[in-house]
Amino acid sequence: LVNEWNNKAHEITGYPKEEVLGKNLVQVYITKEFRASVKQVLDDAFKGLETANFEFALFTKDNKRVEVLLNATTRRDVPGAIIGMIGVGQDITEKRRLMEQEALLFQAQAANDAKSQFLATMSHEMRTPLNVIMGMNDLITETLLSAEQRTFAEQVKTSAESLLILINDIL
């Protein structure tokens, strides 16, 4: 049962001290999905097993989701007997949001880098054979050709130059 509730806990949850004292913290204030794990952390602290940096979500009095970082510390008397537990929660909602944004930004950057690498590879893969075609066609035009062959070679040159312009525009 809750026997202490400070101003920061009130600020994070929206629940004033008067509403919380004497109530079962886990059953009343922790969301169903985290009840078992939060209860385990608190029970462990009552057994002398302290937990640092346990993250969970709860909903405030006005039903907003808050991400909380909990540290549960065993409280002992002078001889060392366990007399209770102190749970300190910190609102990490904004920190978590920033971390998620950073992860999304990283993913977007990775996707952009992959796209750039793909385009560079495609540009190379398309231009190399096209340059060979253009070079070989130039060599052909320097040989003795019939009028019809020269016309074909000029069409190859024109088409290859058009294709190169298109590749340059796209890539």
Side-chain angles (χ1 to χ4, degrees), residues 66-153:
V66 176
E67 300 291 330
V68 176
L69 180 68
L70 174 66
N71 292 300
T73 305
T74 303
R75 188 170 171 213
R76 299 176 185 269
D77 63 12
V78 174
I82 297 172
I83 58 171
M85 182 272 308
I86 298 172
V88 178
Q90 178 182 358
D91 181 352
I92 59 168
T93 307
E94 183 64 16
K95 181 180 179 181
R96 174 67 59 86
R97 186 185 68 74
L98 291 173
M99 288 171 56
E100 288 170 359
Q101 280 183 338
E102 186 177 330
L104 289 174
L105 183 61
F106 179 77
Q107 288 175 343
Q109 183 63 44
N112 190 50
D113 291 347
K115 180 189 78 165
S116 295
Q117 181 60 41
F118 171 78
L119 290 175
T121 300
M122 286 305 299
S123 173
H124 174 76
E125 293 299 322
M126 294 175 83
R127 287 180 189 171
T128 299
L130 185 55
N131 284 330
V132 170
I133 291 168
M134 292 172 77
M136 294 303 288
N137 192 60
D138 286 344
L139 290 175
I140 289 172
T141 59
E142 292 175 7
T143 65
L144 202 54
L145 299 173
S146 69
E148 184 180 33
Q149 290 172 326
R150 188 155 304 281
T151 301
F152 291 157

